[in-house]
Amino acid sequence: MGEMEEKTNNINVDKSENQEESDTKLKDDSLSENIYKLDGKVHFLTALTLGLQHVLAMFLSNVVPIIIITGLATINGTTIPDSIKTQLIQNAMFIAGIASLIQVFGIWKIGSRLPIVMGISFTFLSVAAREGLDYNIIMGSIIVGGLIEGFLGLGYKYWKRMISPIVSSCVVIGIGISLLPVGTISFCGGSTLLSTPGSDFGDLKYWIVGSITLASCLISLNMFKSHLKALSPLIGLVIGCFASLFFGMIDYSGFKDTGLFSFPVIFPTGMPLFDLGNIISFIFIFLVSATETIGDTSAICYGSLNREMTEEEGSGSLACDGFSSTLAALFGCSSTTSFSQNVGLINLTKVVNRYVVATGALILVVASFFPPLAFLLQAVPESVLGGCTILMFGQIFISGIQMLYKNGLTERNTIIASVSICLSVGLSLEAKMFQFSPELVKKIFVNNPVSIIFVVALILDLLLPKDKNQEVA
């Protein structure tokens, strides 16, 4: 009798252990499935690993606009010192993390509450990356433009059809065209050398380093599959920096003077300045950036959540885009926007969990407290950046072409695109074409093809009759 009771107890213990193992397995399976749910609970290490993947995918794109703009702009007519550049890169990481957290979790009506990664936008280089432009004027323009986009976002339902797809397509093409010289000048040594008489701009060493960087980006882009492709610019940057060491192109002499830890600083370049002509130019680009942000928000909903974007999500996404840009300018950074490469990463992997993206955002915030990291980035040679950005800027141009094709090459769309692109490129080649124009007009359009293409495309879109039955040209 005792033996039977003991066997029964052993069987019950075994069943209990098996049940516990089964429950544990189901729990683990449930946790592993949660990464594919918007609000699923995930292990911290899982969120950390997947969040770091998002950081690596966008890290270079987030800091390069700051490096390019500070290499061209001035503060009160003088070159921006390396110490300020280091601080601005540090701030750029901080702002990208904060803006992403606002987008993911939301504050009041600001934020889509979707897993969207925010960062410093390349789009605004078309109006900000101009030789000698005062950096604080750029910041003042972004403050005003960001506020306008933010409030437009809150009223999204009233104007969402104002900017048509054909206008957006033409402007994206114009942005790509305007950025191509920026990439190629960096490739050959940088704008500082170009404007310095007797410099070695275009020397063979710059061509070699830039070519190695570009080749590394292209090889990694074709060698890797799935989400690893997003890391190709970062891989190219690392290899390009190693190549530049053989030519003595990297100066890390100031590294020892960089403190180990510091907080991001507000108004690092001084108080912002406000210039009406530049503000209007930036507002044009903010409207284009708004259409890009809506596109990314829609892509997340459709590609990963299998549903349409709600009006509240679109409104919150735009409000975050605008108000976080104003916040960025207070910290001396260019405008923020949603990062399409991270949207693509989410749609590819289907890891739509908001806590994964939030963890990546926290990594950026923590990284912003360490100046040595920012110093290393600002010391990257121009030709290395050129090798990376040629690919990036070229992709912006091709994206515009794809958008144009997607909208349909009707006779009407072809006319709008051809006239606006031709005028924008042609009129931006020579400032004397505007020599008899009012000063405000000069500030908006001189050397600014994107403003020209926006205005021309918008006017043509409003004036030309819409005919859905037009044949494809």
Side-chain angles (χ1 to χ4, degrees), residues 51-65:
L52 182 61
Q53 181 175 274
H54 275 288
V55 172
L56 292 175
M58 59 79 70
F59 192 79
L60 183 61
S61 298
N62 183 56
V63 298
V64 165

Side-chain angles (χ1 to χ4, degrees), residues 16-26:
S16 178
E17 290 177 350
N18 290 335
Q19 184 63 41
E20 288 179 3
E21 289 178 3
S22 178
D23 291 342
T24 302
K25 186 176 184 302
L26 287 172

Side-chain angles (χ1 to χ4, degrees), residues 45-354:
L45 289 178
T46 301
L48 185 65
T49 303
L50 296 173
L52 182 61
Q53 181 175 274
H54 275 288
V55 172
L56 292 175
M58 59 79 70
F59 192 79
L60 183 61
S61 298
N62 183 56
V63 298
V64 165
I66 295 293
I67 297 173
I68 292 175
I69 295 171
T70 53
L72 292 168
T74 60
I75 300 177
N76 297 324
T78 60
T79 304
I80 300 176
D82 289 345
S83 58
I84 296 294
K85 292 179 182 179
T86 299
Q87 182 66 68
L88 291 173
I89 293 172
Q90 187 179 343
N91 286 4
M93 292 185 283
F94 177 75
I95 286 297
I98 295 298
S100 297
L101 289 172
I102 294 173
Q103 192 72 277
V104 169
F105 293 114
I107 298 175
W108 185 53
K109 295 182 179 181
I110 303 171
S112 63
R113 291 167 174 81
L114 295 171
I116 296 174
V117 176
M118 302 289 290
I120 306 302
S121 173
F122 268 112
T123 304
F124 290 84
L125 284 180
S126 57
V127 289
R130 287 185 277 173
E131 188 78 37
L133 183 61
D134 194 293
Y135 196 80
N136 288 320
I137 287 179
I138 298 173
M139 294 303 105
S141 302
I142 292 172
I143 287 174
V144 176
L147 288 173
I148 289 174
E149 187 193 6
F151 285 114
L152 283 174
L154 295 178
Y156 171 62
K157 63 181 179 180
Y158 300 109
W159 68 272
K160 57 185 177 182
R161 288 185 174 85
M162 187 179 78
I163 307 298
S164 69
I166 181 60
V167 175
S168 299
S169 303
C170 293
V171 173
V172 173
I173 292 173
I175 290 170
I177 292 173
S178 68
L179 291 179
L180 294 180
V182 177
T184 51
I185 288 172
S186 293
F187 186 90
C188 295
S191 58
T192 302
L193 293 179
L194 177 62
S195 59
T196 303
S199 69
D200 61 349
F201 177 81
D203 189 84
L204 182 61
K205 65 182 179 183
Y206 301 122
W207 279 84
I208 293 174
V209 171
S211 298
I212 290 173
T213 305
L214 178 58
S216 301
C217 290
L218 293 173
I219 291 171
S220 58
L221 189 64
N222 286 277
M223 185 173 63
F224 293 121
K225 296 181 179 180
S226 68
H227 58 276
L228 290 177
K229 282 189 174 186
L231 303 182
S232 58
L234 189 62
I235 294 170
L237 178 82
V238 173
I239 295 175
C241 285
F242 275 113
S244 65
L245 289 173
F246 291 98
F247 296 96
M249 293 166 60
I250 300 183
D251 180 16
Y252 287 139
S253 58
F255 184 77
K256 61 182 181 296
D257 300 324
T258 305
L260 181 62
F261 181 89
S262 71
F263 289 99
V265 176
I266 195 169
F267 298 131
T269 61
M271 295 301 292
L273 302 174
F274 301 95
D275 177 85
L276 182 58
N278 282 286
I279 287 172
I280 293 173
S281 294
F282 274 81
I283 289 173
F284 290 158
I285 309 303
F286 268 107
L287 292 175
V288 177
S289 178
T291 63
E292 293 177 344
T293 299
I294 287 298
D296 286 340
T297 308
S298 299
I300 281 285
C301 293
Y302 184 78
S304 297
L305 298 176
N306 300 315
R307 61 172 175 80
E308 295 292 327
M309 176 190 73
T310 67
E311 195 171 86
E312 290 75 15
E313 288 168 340
S315 175
S317 183
L318 284 179
C320 178
D321 201 43
F323 291 131
S324 65
S325 292
T326 297
L327 178 65
L330 299 181
F331 284 86
C333 295
S334 185
S335 307
T336 60
T337 193
S338 56
F339 269 35
S340 298
Q341 60 262 48
N342 293 84
V343 172
L345 183 60
I346 290 173
N347 285 345
L348 181 69
T349 62
K350 303 303 179 185
V351 179
V352 74
N353 188 278
R354 73 170 77 247

Side-chain angles (χ1 to χ4, degrees), residues 393-414:
F393 296 162
Q395 287 177 324
I396 293 174
F397 174 73
I398 296 300
S399 294
I401 298 293
Q402 291 172 332
M403 289 171 64
L404 181 62
Y405 183 77
K406 184 179 179 181
N407 293 328
L409 296 178
T410 62
E411 182 180 348
R412 181 178 187 275
N413 285 352
T414 303

Side-chain angles (χ1 to χ4, degrees), residues 163-164 166-168 170-171 284 288 412-428 434 444-445 448-464:
I163 307 298
S164 69
I166 181 60
V167 175
S168 299
C170 293
V171 173
F284 290 158
V288 177
R412 181 178 187 275
N413 285 352
T414 303
I415 290 173
I416 293 173
S418 58
V419 173
S420 61
I421 293 171
C422 181
L423 277 176
S424 68
V425 174
L427 291 176
S428 64
F434 292 93
I444 296 172
F445 296 114
N448 190 356
V450 179
S451 292
I452 299 172
I453 204 171
F454 180 87
V455 171
V456 174
L458 187 62
I459 291 173
L460 289 175
D461 185 49
L462 293 172
L463 294 180
L464 292 180

